[in-house]
Amino acid sequence: MKFHWFLPTNGGDGRQVVSGGHGVSHGAGGRPASVPYLGQIARSAEQLGFEAALTPTGAWCEDAWLTTAMLAPLSERLKFLVAFRPGMTSPTLAAQMAATFQNLSGGRLLLNVVTGGESHEQRAYGDFLDKDERYERCDEFLEIVRRLWTGDEVTFAGRHLRVEQARLQQLPDPVPEIYFGGSSPAAGLVSAKHADVYLTWGEPPAAVAKKIAWIRELAEKQGREVRFGIRMHTINRDTSEEAWAEADRLLEGIDDAEIRRVQEGLKRSESVGQQNMLALNNGSRDGLEIHPNVWAGVGLVRGGAGTALVGSHEEVADRVEEYAALGIEEFVLSAYPHLEGAYHFGEGVLPILAKRGLWTNPAPVAASASVPFGGQRAAS
């Protein structure tokens, strides 16, 4: 399994739930999204054994390309799962940008393709296509980009995009993997055709199993295989009581008026996945444990991923193993605050998964780690 962390570039991080995305303005945060702070998170995630860090996209956060380009020199191994929206730039330029990032960072780019947020936000960027048309364009976009990455000269005329004699002089090495999510029929078709990893938000295991079966069947019709990942938050502590006390503290910090305001905004979302998230919490503080150790409280005031794994380190490891048994191989995680949360999970859960033989730390072990404190290496 691979584990990824999250970079809170939405203008704030702190000890309360910071909302954002899908047209919902972010809440007040105690830690600004500065390069020094985000650098702390990136370096900590790297040292703890996380594979990559997801950086979101949208009008509500800093630009993902520029942010990660500034953070890359502050780390050595950590990859960056850069979220971007096709249609905001030409496919040739996007392919070139990705190739440049990949080559100059030493192969540390992963791409999270976000077909589009809400239509009103897309229109603010000058994009007036409806949701289904955005998926049609995304299909064309990814076909062009993938061909350019192979070194082809591409002439393409589709319904939405057109290029003539496009070619990259510098090819990405290796080709960036594409992460893709979406719960609508249109999203499923594009995922099956182009995704290396299909991402779902954290629904209960039974719902996730259905989604995996759906995408797997669509991919087989395309003659492809797709890996699967899940996006969730984490609240893990030494004991279950401590973890649930922290969940209760987060819930107490959420104002009822804010819940009503955010929920009304999210109900207008065009996203099927977002509507699934809303159905899990029902806009209520009650009944938020929707599966053992799976809590839907985050989604009361946050668009997008709205569930968290809550419990002791052992319990959260058990839930990770349960999702893995369904076919989930990659976990994109976060917490509040993100810096401390990386340590809670990295030092609490990952060692348990390693002991169970389910995870191997991708970070090279320092040579000095094998030397006892105050001791000397044996002569070779």
Side-chain angles (χ1 to χ4, degrees), residues 232-237 239-248 250 289 291-298 307-313 315-316 319:
M232 302 183 80
H233 306 277
T234 60
I235 307 173
N236 61 285
R237 297 293 188 270
T239 67
S240 183
E241 291 76 16
E242 289 177 278
W244 284 107
E246 176 64 10
D248 290 340
L250 289 175
E289 189 176 6
H291 183 78
N293 307 110
V294 179
W295 184 67
V298 176
T307 54
L309 297 169
V310 182
S312 68
H313 307 312
E315 288 172 334
V316 170
R319 293 289 77 73

Side-chain angles (χ1 to χ4, degrees), residues 42 46 51-53 68 71-82 98 101-111 173-174 176:
E46 177 174 77
E51 187 86 12
T68 51
L71 293 175
L74 302 181
S75 55
E76 298 176 358
R77 176 195 56 80
L78 188 72
K79 296 178 182 178
F80 294 95
L81 181 49
V82 176
F101 195 117
Q102 188 74 320
N103 295 335
L104 297 187
S105 69
R108 294 162 59 195
L109 175 67
L110 305 170
L111 288 175
D173 183 23

Side-chain angles (χ1 to χ4, degrees), residues 209-281:
K210 289 182 181 179
K211 194 169 287 187
I212 289 174
W214 169 52
I215 296 296
R216 187 170 281 154
E217 181 180 0
L218 291 175
E220 287 175 355
K221 291 178 181 178
Q222 296 286 336
R224 302 183 69 244
E225 292 185 1
V226 177
R227 304 198 310 278
F228 295 92
I230 196 165
R231 170 79 180 96
M232 302 183 80
H233 306 277
T234 60
I235 307 173
N236 61 285
R237 297 293 188 270
D238 292 340
T239 67
S240 183
E241 291 76 16
E242 289 177 278
W244 284 107
E246 176 64 10
D248 290 340
R249 187 193 66 79
L250 289 175
L251 192 59
E252 289 171 2
I254 299 173
D255 181 76
D256 285 337
E258 185 72 0
I259 291 175
R260 289 192 295 270
R261 185 188 69 80
V262 172
Q263 290 284 307
E264 285 303 311
L266 292 176
K267 286 176 183 177
R268 295 191 292 270
S269 172
E270 300 169 350
S271 167
V272 176
Q274 183 62 72
Q275 296 309 314
N276 292 343
M277 288 289 101
L278 291 179
L280 295 179
N281 63 59

Side-chain angles (χ1 to χ4, degrees), residues 42-370:
R43 288 191 299 273
S44 296
E46 177 174 77
Q47 292 160 8
L48 290 163
F50 290 96
E51 187 86 12
L54 170 65
T55 309
T57 184
W60 54 281
C61 60
E62 303 290 357
D63 177 76
W65 287 104
L66 293 174
T67 302
T68 51
M70 297 177 74
L71 293 175
L74 302 181
S75 55
E76 298 176 358
R77 176 195 56 80
L78 188 72
K79 296 178 182 178
F80 294 95
L81 181 49
V82 176
F84 84 105
R85 298 182 181 183
M88 297 300 183
T89 187
S90 80
T92 305
L93 179 58
Q96 183 183 24
M97 290 168 61
T100 299
F101 195 117
Q102 188 74 320
N103 295 335
L104 297 187
S105 69
R108 294 162 59 195
L109 175 67
L110 305 170
L111 288 175
N112 178 28
V113 177
V114 180
T115 300
E118 305 306 328
S119 289
H120 72 273
E121 186 181 12
Q122 294 295 122
R123 290 193 294 269
Y125 281 95
D127 179 10
F128 289 85
L129 298 185
D130 64 26
K131 179 179 176 180
D132 286 342
E133 289 175 323
R134 292 198 295 269
Y135 277 106
E136 289 177 358
R137 181 182 59 195
C138 181
D139 181 23
E140 296 177 5
F141 183 98
L142 290 175
E143 180 176 342
I144 295 169
V145 166
R146 281 200 177 276
R147 288 177 59 188
L148 288 170
W149 283 343
T150 66
D152 284 356
E153 179 179 281
V154 180
T155 294
F156 180 94
R159 182 183 175 195
H160 303 284
L161 298 173
R162 179 178 177 180
V163 298
E164 292 183 2
Q165 297 180 315
R167 182 190 290 273
L168 295 183
Q169 297 301 314
Q170 305 295 331
L171 301 180
D173 183 23
V175 170
E177 289 195 311
I178 290 176
Y179 290 64
F180 198 96
S183 299
S184 68
L189 292 173
V190 178
S191 298
K193 188 174 179 180
H194 296 288
D196 296 298
V197 178
Y198 174 84
L199 283 178
T200 179
W201 286 327
E203 298 178 38
V208 171
K210 289 182 181 179
K211 194 169 287 187
I212 289 174
W214 169 52
I215 296 296
R216 187 170 281 154
E217 181 180 0
L218 291 175
E220 287 175 355
K221 291 178 181 178
Q222 296 286 336
R224 302 183 69 244
E225 292 185 1
V226 177
R227 304 198 310 278
F228 295 92
I230 196 165
R231 170 79 180 96
M232 302 183 80
H233 306 277
T234 60
I235 307 173
N236 61 285
R237 297 293 188 270
D238 292 340
T239 67
S240 183
E241 291 76 16
E242 289 177 278
W244 284 107
E246 176 64 10
D248 290 340
R249 187 193 66 79
L250 289 175
L251 192 59
E252 289 171 2
I254 299 173
D255 181 76
D256 285 337
E258 185 72 0
I259 291 175
R260 289 192 295 270
R261 185 188 69 80
V262 172
Q263 290 284 307
E264 285 303 311
L266 292 176
K267 286 176 183 177
R268 295 191 292 270
S269 172
E270 300 169 350
S271 167
V272 176
Q274 183 62 72
Q275 296 309 314
N276 292 343
M277 288 289 101
L278 291 179
L280 295 179
N281 63 59
N282 289 314
S284 170
R285 296 175 181 269
D286 300 322
L288 291 173
E289 189 176 6
I290 57 174
H291 183 78
N293 307 110
V294 179
W295 184 67
V298 176
L300 289 174
V301 291
R302 186 193 190 280
T307 54
L309 297 169
V310 182
S312 68
H313 307 312
E314 288 279 352
E315 288 172 334
V316 170
D318 290 343
R319 293 289 77 73
V320 167
E321 191 168 355
E322 182 178 6
Y323 281 108
L326 302 176
I328 297 294
E329 299 179 46
E330 306 199 17
F331 293 78
V332 184
L333 305 173
S334 55
Y336 297 100
H338 291 77
L339 179 61
E340 290 91 325
Y343 281 99
H344 282 302
F345 192 89
E347 295 178 340
V349 179
L350 289 183
I352 296 172
L353 296 172
K355 186 178 293 185
R356 296 180 185 180
L358 298 173
W359 174 75
T360 301
N361 193 333
V365 178
S368 60
S370 61

